[in-house]
DNA sequence: CTGTTAGCGCCTTCAC
DNA sequence: GTGAAGGCGCTAACAG
């Protein structure tokens, strides 16, 4: 592989001049510029990006930490990140963690090793302290509400979104209300749990532990939920489901086994997945794509200017009433 | 940021020894090893991975080229790649192309610049010649049937899969058969087009251009298809749909507007998406996840040994009969 | 076992 | 405008 020195020799100039030409630096005579480009052609030269990264101390790479890729929520977020990254000439390095803390820390270590200029954390298991410890190493943006913490973050107000949906159900006369969620840990989940407690208490209802269904991430989980529901002694009359995929699973399987939606069981999903529209599922629209976009922009702005207008960006949600709840 | 020289000074050894300790090289006295690790602690050292890459001439990074991420097919493939990459300590660099040739070439250029050790191409628009031109730069594996071409490839025999599904429909008495596909270009699509021609001819039917629906990638596209279908003069009685998402869109929208499936229109999907199971959609199961796994293994094996058992790996499909066709 | 030394390939001041 | 030279941080002979 030809390197910059070979080019210099071939073109009869210095390596500095070659570098200038290669990087579009202005003050170079037309003559030498031409000679360099000819040498590039002749030697079939291509620059070694690793050397560039080392010399510059930057990579124009951003890391993306997320538990799964094959999931409508996360793949939509990456799509948003990806679009913006493309636009600004950045590349994306993927860190799939499966919510394994070891892997999450590994991603953070990679930031420390300067493998990337910044990191977007779509979701995580590890404590906030871990991120705090790595903040010096480069910008980190979390996709969750961080309260008083001094993190870059872009988030959805899950507490309010949950409150809105729950109040809607209460207003429709529901009292036995449950919900389905991916996992119980993490700030997003805790915010929803709090909203659940608050609204039910406000309505004078005692929340039941059995009305909370955990581990609901995929379509299949919805099938499981409705089957569990059928087997229950005291069934909730309404379910808030934090993923339209799961909600769809519930609605479709309910149709199969003859549970009437919303008469016997009202369903409100989250995401506003196309599937929800097609199935007429009432849902809380979440701006996944925009979340990814904003997350990247935050990182990017930080990298370019060293600061940022607001460290935290909140994104809006919208309750879309359809037929299931 | 402390570097390896600072460590050497601190520990009172040479940089070579530091490097040996850092990389677990055996012949170092226990004493010095300890001194080095203490220096690492004290100086809060972390190695600069870019420098390592430059010095070694390798990155343990593999690139992944694909048009979209937010799509069940592609996100499943990445998931498979990702799982294997994790297992072998590789990282994944994402190149989302939207089937834009410029971007595809950019990814190839990155391989040339040694940004990654190899490249997995999930789908592409650019001609094979482009890949041929970059083969020297590092292993490239294509996820498609490449015939006589000398590429690393892992693929599904789309011709046979299509033939099997079509014959099944013919056997059931269908003659007016159409299909839905993402796009017309690319070897996978061409193989399916050929199978379509062959089987219909074999059944003594003249294929119609209008019975081919292009641009079918997402759920919403299925909705569009069934609406187009309704408006047709001569409607096909059966549709082969190269994505379960699209098939689901068709089936669900058909239900809404009162088209009876499979009596008026038989549907066979592809993928064996959980959604297909839930909706009782007859489908051709495709091993997306395994495709990603194999693709990575092929690259990995090549990188480690410089060769590979078979350059081409074919993966099986399976027709799963359910209720829509 | 350990240290010296020469790269890896490019960027970037500094002086002319 | 241009070139010489030092540096980015680490690895890997080679010599001892």
């Amino acid at each position: 592989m030809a390197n910059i020195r070979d080019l210099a020799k071939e073109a009869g100039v210095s390596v500095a001049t070659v570098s200038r030409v290669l990087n579009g630096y202005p003050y170079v005579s037309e003559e030498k510029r031409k000679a360099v480009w000819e040498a590039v052609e002749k030697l079939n030269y291509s620059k070694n990006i690793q050397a560039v990264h080392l010399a510059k101390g930057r990579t124009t790479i951003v890391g993306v930490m997320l538990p799964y890729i094959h999931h409508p929520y996360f793949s939509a977020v990456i799509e948003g990140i990806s679009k913006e990254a493309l636009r600004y000439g950045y590349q994306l390095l993927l860190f799939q963690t499966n919510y394994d803390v070891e892997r999450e820390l590994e991603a953070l270590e990679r930031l420390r090793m300067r493998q990337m200029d910044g990191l977007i954390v779509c979701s995580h298991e590890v404590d906030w302290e871990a991120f705090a410890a790595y903040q010096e190493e480069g910008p980190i943006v979390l996709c969750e509400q961080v309260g008083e913490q001094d993190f870059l973050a872009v988030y959805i107000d899950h507490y309010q979104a949950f409150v809105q949906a729950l109040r809607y159900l209460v207003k429709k006369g529901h009292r036995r209300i449950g919900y389905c969620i991916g996992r119980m840990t993490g700030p997003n989940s805790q915010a929803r749990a709090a909203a659940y407690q608050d609204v039910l208490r406000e309505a004078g209802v005692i929340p039941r532990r059995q009305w909370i269904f955990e581990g609901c991430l995929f379509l299949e989980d919805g099938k499981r939920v409705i089957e569990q529901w059928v087997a229950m002694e005291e069934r909730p009359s309404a379910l808030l489901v934090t993923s339209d995929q799961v909600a769809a699973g519930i609605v479709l399987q309910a149709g199969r086994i003859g549970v009437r939606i919303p008469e016997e069981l009202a369903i409100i999903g989250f995401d506003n997945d196309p599937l929800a529209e097609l199935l007429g599922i009432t849902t809380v629209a979440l701006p996944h794509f925009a979340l990814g976009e904003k997350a990247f922009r935050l990182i990017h702005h930080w990298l370019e200017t060293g600061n940022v207008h607001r460290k935290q960006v909140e994104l809006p949600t919208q309750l879309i009433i359809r037929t299931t709840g």
Side-chain angles (χ1 to χ4, degrees), chain A:
Chain A
M1 284 266 73
N3 63 30
I4 205 177
R5 257 184 306 278
D6 301 329
L7 283 185
K9 200 176 299 167
E10 177 68 30
V13 300
S14 70
V15 293
T17 296
V18 172
S19 177
R20 289 184 187 111
V21 172
L22 257 30
N23 296 299
Y25 191 83
Y27 306 114
V28 179
S29 71
E30 205 45 57
E31 184 182 18
K32 304 213 166 183
R33 186 181 303 280
K34 187 151 158 276
V36 169
W37 284 121
E38 279 171 7
V40 166
E41 283 300 314
K42 181 165 175 199
L43 301 183
N44 190 26
Y45 169 84
S46 172
K47 76 162 85 175
N48 182 318
I49 203 80
Q50 301 162 188
V52 175
H53 289 169
L54 177 58
K56 292 190 134 154
R58 295 191 46 186
T59 61
T60 55
I61 292 177
V62 165
V64 179
M65 182 200 291
L66 78 181
Y68 327 108
I69 300 164
H70 185 49
H71 184 281
Y73 171 84
F74 293 110
S75 65
V77 175
I78 308 190
E79 188 91 24
I81 297 172
S82 175
K83 185 190 142 223
E84 289 301 288
L86 219 50
R87 176 169 161 191
Y88 292 105
Y90 274 68
Q91 326 227 185
L92 258 30
L93 196 61
L94 226 51
F95 292 89
Q96 181 174 350
T97 65
N98 299 312
Y99 284 130
D100 177 336
V101 171
E102 291 300 311
R103 288 180 189 159
E104 294 179 353
L105 293 174
E106 164 71 12
L108 256 2
E109 270 305 316
R110 291 287 169 162
L111 180 62
R112 197 148 171 260
M113 295 179 188
R114 325 249 69 123
Q115 183 159 27
M116 57 244 194
D117 297 340
L119 178 65
I120 296 175
V121 179
C122 298
S123 185
H124 64 94
E125 184 65 37
V126 76
D127 293 336
W128 276 338
E129 283 107 69
F131 297 111
Y134 283 88
Q135 271 191 105
E136 315 283 276
E137 316 296 343
I140 299 177
V141 11
L142 304 184
C143 297
E144 67 198 23
Q145 207 159 0
V146 294
E148 299 302 299
Q149 305 287 321
D150 188 34
F151 292 121
L152 292 175
V154 36
Y155 64 92
I156 286 153
D157 187 342
H158 286 288
Y159 181 88
Q160 274 310 325
F162 235 58
V163 165
Q164 189 189 4
L166 286 166
R167 288 220 179 110
Y168 170 79
L169 287 172
V170 168
K171 202 157 156 194
K172 284 207 128 187
H174 292 282
R175 287 299 175 272
R176 304 192 317 278
I177 302 175
Y179 73 95
C180 303
I181 198 155
R183 52 193 192 123
M184 298 300 279
T185 54
N188 290 346
S189 302
Q190 306 236 315
R192 307 208 246 214
Y196 179 67
Q197 297 286 334
D198 293 353
V199 174
L200 259 62
R201 194 158 305 148
E202 172 185 303
V205 187
I206 300 165
R208 308 253 174 121
R209 188 55 202 234
Q210 312 97 282
W211 292 349
I212 304 176
F213 299 81
E214 279 185 67
C216 295
L217 285 165
F218 303 97
L219 199 75
E220 308 87 288
D221 297 317
K223 193 174 167 189
R224 196 195 71 221
V225 166
I226 189 75
E227 277 155 7
Q228 259 175 264
W229 180 86
V230 166
M232 288 174 79
E233 292 276 315
E234 282 207 285
R235 300 172 184 160
S237 67
L239 238 33
L240 215 52
V241 185
T242 59
S243 146
D244 276 338
Q245 288 288 312
V246 178
I250 293 176
V251 168
L252 290 171
Q253 185 65 11
R256 282 183 139 186
I257 64 180
V259 173
R260 283 171 305 129
I261 308 274
E263 295 78 5
E264 295 179 67
L265 177 64
I267 295 291
I268 296 186
F270 274 76
D271 290 344
N272 197 24
D273 195 300
L275 193 50
E277 196 200 329
L278 210 46
L279 291 172
I281 296 177
T282 294
T283 192
V284 179
L286 303 184
H288 303 314
F289 189 82
L291 192 78
E293 283 184 327
K294 291 283 182 193
F296 183 86
R297 287 215 202 119
L298 220 49
I299 285 256
H300 182 254
H301 198 272
W302 180 275
L303 288 171
E304 300 294 308
T305 69
N307 67 7
V308 86
H309 305 315
R310 287 165 309 159
K311 288 195 126 187
Q312 270 108 48
V313 179
E314 183 175 313
L315 264 30
T317 66
Q318 192 195 350
L319 179 62
I320 300 177
I321 313 284
R322 292 201 265 246
T323 63
T324 63

